[in-house]
Amino acid sequence: MASTNPTPKSKCENAAPTFQTARLTFTPLAQTDAAPLHELRSAPEVMKWSRQGRPDASVTETQKWVDSYLAEAESNITQQESIVSKPDPRKDVVFAVREVAHVESGAKHDRIVAQAGIKKGKSEVTGVERFEIGYMFVPTVWGKGYASEAVKGMAQWWLSLYPEEGKGGDTEGVYAIVAKTNPASLRVLEKCGFHFVAEGVDDHGDEIVEFCMNNE
């Protein structure tokens, strides 16, 4: 279950995480995260499942991606604040995910084991605009159960922002879309309590499956 208990500060430049689970900390992506994030974004077996579809060629490319994301996020926040007096806290967010044990060890080198987040957009399956959860982990931590822990933690964190929402049917709650050829991610979503919504084909012609988790 997600916890709001702060994680002891590490030697990296990041502030305390938004939340943490038993073994992982979740901190909003920062400009200084590019170098430790490159281990993940340069792995072909990871990036083949991403929308980019290929690994970053260099730390410079990873930095450009981080800068682009942060600039877009800042722009979205500014636009929202100009429209409403009370911005919706469920804004798009990308987390840099670290192992609690690594942070607490005081290691001299920073290490990010996953990129995870929630983003609002139009579903490729149903065409409905909704918040979609996504994640990628470095191959060296696969098999530890981190993906299930991260997905469950993020879903609980997001749904806790508005506990009365996500109770009315398939158009509410938090969603996830995965390739039908990615059985590991399919198992993670089912294990975390997501239920099947629909199947479809993405822009590349690949079969995809959509799942949802509601407040129940």
Side-chain angles (χ1 to χ4, degrees):
M1 178 176 292
S3 168
T4 55
N5 294 333
T7 301
K9 290 185 178 180
S10 68
K11 295 185 179 181
C12 65
E13 298 179 36
N14 298 81
T18 298
F19 69 93
Q20 79 174 50
T21 58
R23 299 177 294 170
L24 303 169
T25 69
F26 295 74
T27 306
L29 191 68
Q31 203 163 29
T32 53
D33 287 335
L37 186 63
H38 185 63
E39 177 187 353
L40 170 72
R41 293 188 59 88
S42 62
E45 61 269 52
V46 173
M47 294 299 289
K48 71 177 183 179
W49 301 111
S50 70
R51 284 187 169 85
Q52 180 172 298
R54 61 167 181 82
D56 288 352
S58 63
V59 175
T60 299
E61 185 174 6
T62 300
Q63 185 69 65
K64 287 182 179 178
W65 180 86
V66 170
D67 292 344
S68 176
Y69 161 74
L70 292 176
E72 181 181 0
E74 181 65 28
S75 175
N76 290 341
I77 292 172
T78 301
Q79 290 177 16
Q80 187 184 51
E81 290 177 342
S82 68
I83 297 173
V84 295
S85 59
K86 186 178 180 182
D88 189 339
R90 299 172 302 171
K91 57 183 179 293
D92 298 350
V93 59
V94 172
F95 293 109
V97 183
R98 296 172 170 85
E99 293 173 294
V100 172
H102 183 82
V103 174
E104 293 181 341
S105 72
K108 292 183 179 180
H109 70 284
D110 187 15
R111 189 181 187 222
I112 293 172
V113 296
Q115 171 187 317
I118 298 178
K119 181 177 179 64
K120 192 171 187 178
K122 185 174 290 188
S123 166
E124 295 177 281
V125 179
T126 61
V128 177
E129 189 172 65
R130 53 186 45 142
F131 283 92
E132 178 187 352
I133 197 167
Y135 63 91
M136 301 187 297
F137 277 84
V138 295
T140 52
V141 300
W142 289 0
K144 291 187 175 183
Y146 282 172
S148 297
E149 184 173 329
V151 169
K152 189 175 294 184
M154 282 193 296
Q156 290 174 342
W157 165 80
W158 190 90
L159 292 171
S160 71
L161 295 175
Y162 282 88
E164 294 306 312
E165 295 193 10
K167 293 182 178 180
D170 288 345
T171 59
E172 301 178 23
V174 60
Y175 287 72
I177 296 176
V178 298
K180 205 170 184 180
T181 53
N182 188 352
S185 285
L186 292 172
R187 286 195 297 272
V188 165
L189 295 176
E190 291 170 350
K191 182 178 179 180
C192 290
F194 281 69
H195 64 264
F196 172 84
V197 175
E199 294 183 9
V201 178
D202 64 16
D203 295 338
H204 303 290
D206 297 322
E207 293 183 299
I208 52 178
V209 186
E210 184 171 317
F211 291 84
C212 175
M213 176 186 280
N214 301 93
N215 270 327
E216 297 177 342

